[in-house]
Amino acid sequence: MAIGVLLIIVIGLLILANLIFPNKYMYFILLCMLLVIPCESQGIYSGVAYSASGYINISCIGYGTIVLFIFYILKMKKFNKKITTGLVVCITIIFAIRLLVDGQNVLSNKLLDNYILPMALALLIVSDFKKEWFPEFLKIMYRVILFGAVIACIEYITGKSIFFHEYYLQTCGWYNQIYAATQWLPFRSTSLFGHPLVGGVYYLFGVVYLVNNEKIIKNKVLTIIQFVILLAAILSTNTRSTLIVLGIYLGLKLLLMKKRVSKILLIGLVIAIIIYVKFFFNFDNLYEQLFARDVTGSSYLVRVTALLNIIHIPFKTILLGNGYNSTQDVLKMIGINGNVEIAYLIILFENGVIGFIAWISSLIIMYRRNMLDEIGDLRIKSIINGMILCVLLCGFMSNLFGDPGTLNYIIYMLFAFSFVLRQN
């Protein structure tokens, strides 16, 4: 296990905070750790880069979850029995299959940060989080995301990470590629969230919150300014998936609005886009300008190759997975050297069909459709469903939560919040 002096201090502060502050504020602290301390920076605290193999080196949000979980048990508080049973069964299945395939190497950042600890945090939220805390939780989340969006825009201009440039150069292969490419391409902003893909998802969350907050929407000038900042941040990440999902979400939002004028505007917008594309639009030119890093389309070709050749993978491998340390062996079977670029396929290849079903089930057992429609000025149900939709759609187009990282925590948190915010 990789634990440096700074990480010991962080864990000590978390223990002290649990002794001093009520549980409500501990969830807010965990949220800030999730958003402000990217997993790629973990080596600053633990002394070992997050991506280094052979170490148990979980993220700060992971350590925060462990501390909060232990304190919850010590306080003799009860867990929600139904959800506890479901999550324990799911994680037992995942762990048992991984133990069967990976043997003594079963414990890893992937297993801990992608499955066990996010489920533990979800269990805490389901059992302990109060629905009246949620508006304040969302407000803090949005403010940090908006601040991160401003930083992203600044990074796009300066051409490097403001907070972690030197460290990322030493430890992150993807950052070196992004920075080296600035010789001929704009910088892909990392801001507070680490990888541009992860930042793009959080900026989408910011848009979802913005358009479902009646108080902000009433001030049209403020709404436009904040939307422009979030849109600029999304563009600064130079990620196609977030732009596509942004268009899908806003289109669905307009379509589902009860006001007839909104639907008329949507239909008019679609017709205008079709006419523009037909007569004035040069897609190849725009694609090259926005995504010059992949003008050949090879990135999307990887996804197509994976989907078309999945049937060539041996049945036992598909059923039980190939483990977290041998994914490349599976990809070579279907002619891919690198990343499959679809989060769901990564989870399927590593955990097998059985583990994949257990992962899906761990989310479904918490989800409740009968959420509160509104709390104050917030359209709660629309916010939760909108954020879930955005992150799950992005998973079809990138390796967001398939690779080790902290985005899994927010996914489990959103599903857990749907349970907490259910109507009686």
Side-chain angles (χ1 to χ4, degrees):
M1 181 174 286
I3 299 181
V5 176
L6 283 177
L7 185 57
I8 292 174
I9 293 173
V10 170
I11 294 173
L13 290 174
L14 281 168
I15 293 172
L16 184 63
N18 273 275
L19 291 170
I20 297 175
F21 298 118
N23 274 20
K24 170 185 175 181
Y25 297 106
M26 290 312 305
Y27 291 105
F28 296 167
I29 290 173
L30 287 185
L31 173 66
C32 291
M33 290 178 68
L34 174 64
L35 296 177
V36 177
I37 307 177
C39 61
E40 290 88 353
S41 69
Q42 186 61 25
I44 297 174
Y45 310 94
S46 66
V48 177
Y50 187 75
S51 57
S53 60
Y55 293 90
I56 296 177
N57 186 26
I58 59 177
S59 59
C60 279
I61 176 70
Y63 284 110
T65 299
I66 292 172
V67 172
L68 184 59
F69 198 87
I70 292 173
F71 269 85
Y72 189 85
I73 293 174
L74 292 177
K75 291 176 182 177
M76 303 298 288
K77 291 189 175 183
K78 295 181 179 179
F79 290 103
N80 182 288
K81 291 183 179 179
K82 184 177 180 181
I83 302 300
T84 301
T85 301
L87 290 180
V88 168
V89 169
C90 290
I91 199 59
T92 300
I93 292 172
I94 292 174
F95 185 83
I97 295 175
R98 295 283 47 79
L99 184 62
L100 178 66
V101 176
D102 291 334
Q104 62 182 2
N105 297 319
V106 62
L107 286 179
S108 64
N109 286 3
K110 174 67 75 76
L111 183 64
L112 291 168
D113 260 346
N114 281 34
Y115 302 102
I116 294 179
L117 293 178
M119 284 190 199
L121 181 56
L123 184 57
L124 285 171
I125 290 173
V126 164
S127 305
D128 188 44
F129 199 92
K130 305 295 186 295
K131 63 182 65 175
E132 55 267 24
W133 301 347
F134 192 64
E136 189 176 353
F137 184 92
L138 271 182
K139 185 183 294 184
I140 293 172
M141 181 177 179
Y142 178 69
R143 287 178 176 176
V144 176
I145 290 172
L146 192 62
F147 176 72
V150 173
I151 298 298
C153 295
I154 296 172
E155 285 187 353
Y156 185 79
I157 297 170
T158 60
K160 65 179 182 179
S161 170
I162 292 178
F163 299 107
F164 302 107
H165 175 67
E166 296 298 332
Y167 181 75
Y168 282 173
L169 280 178
Q170 297 171 16
T171 59
C172 296
W174 58 261
Y175 184 81
N176 276 274
Q177 293 174 5
I178 288 173
Y179 187 64
T182 56
Q183 298 176 48
W184 59 87
L185 296 175
F187 180 72
R188 298 181 67 193
S189 302
T190 62
S191 188
L192 307 173
F193 310 109
H195 198 284
L197 286 169
V198 177
V201 169
Y202 282 118
Y203 304 138
L204 286 173
F205 286 176
V207 172
V208 173
Y209 177 86
L210 180 65
V211 300
N212 289 288
N213 188 323
E214 294 287 354
K215 186 176 181 180
I216 298 179
I217 290 176
K218 288 176 182 177
N219 189 329
K220 292 182 174 56
V221 175
L222 185 62
T223 302
I224 292 172
I225 292 173
Q226 293 183 37
F227 180 79
V228 168
I229 292 172
L230 291 167
L231 179 59
I234 289 173
L235 290 171
S236 76
T237 64
N238 197 224
T239 55
R240 293 153 296 196
S241 58
T242 48
L243 281 174
I244 293 170
V245 173
L246 176 65
I248 293 173
Y249 174 74
L250 292 178
L252 288 174
K253 185 68 180 176
L254 284 171
L255 187 62
L256 295 174
M257 287 179 72
K258 295 179 180 178
K259 294 179 180 179
R260 185 179 298 176
V261 67
S262 299
K263 296 183 179 181
I264 293 173
L265 284 172
L266 177 62
I267 294 171
L269 179 62
V270 170
I271 293 173
I273 291 173
I274 292 173
I275 293 173
Y276 184 71
V277 169
K278 179 68 176 177
F279 297 103
F280 306 103
F281 187 69
N282 187 331
F283 179 80
D284 292 334
N285 185 45
L286 178 64
Y287 188 87
E288 184 175 350
Q289 289 180 25
L290 288 178
F291 310 112
R293 69 183 193 279
D294 185 34
V295 293
T296 62
S298 59
S299 181
Y300 274 140
L301 185 61
V302 168
R303 297 160 172 83
V304 175
T305 301
L307 291 171
L308 293 178
N309 291 283
I310 191 172
I311 58 174
H312 299 303
I313 298 174
F315 176 75
K316 182 180 178 182
T317 301
I318 283 293
L319 186 65
L320 300 177
N322 212 49
Y324 300 142
N325 301 316
S326 307
T327 310
Q328 291 299 319
D329 297 336
V330 180
L331 298 184
K332 288 177 181 177
M333 294 178 189
I334 56 177
I336 295 176
N337 290 314
N339 202 309
V340 75
E341 300 294 351
I342 299 177
Y344 303 103
L345 286 186
I346 295 173
I347 295 171
L348 177 64
F349 291 161
E350 293 180 342
N351 295 280
V353 172
I354 298 174
F356 184 82
I357 292 174
W359 172 69
I360 291 290
S361 300
S362 69
L363 295 172
I364 292 176
I365 61 174
M366 293 184 290
Y367 183 74
R368 295 294 183 274
R369 293 177 58 188
N370 63 329
M371 286 176 273
L372 294 169
D373 290 324
E374 296 179 355
I375 296 180
D377 295 316
L378 297 175
R379 300 171 190 155
I380 293 296
K381 188 172 184 178
S382 295
I383 289 174
I384 293 293
N385 285 335
M387 289 182 177
I388 289 176
L389 174 68
C390 285
V391 70
L392 294 186
L393 282 178
C394 285
F396 282 104
M397 294 174 272
S398 65
N399 55 322
L400 274 170
F401 43 84
D403 287 342
T406 54
L407 202 58
N408 302 279
Y409 289 93
I410 198 68
I411 294 174
Y412 274 93
M413 288 168 75
L414 290 171
F415 278 86
F417 283 135
S418 77
F419 183 90
V420 172
L421 296 164
R422 68 195 187 282
Q423 298 184 55
N424 296 328

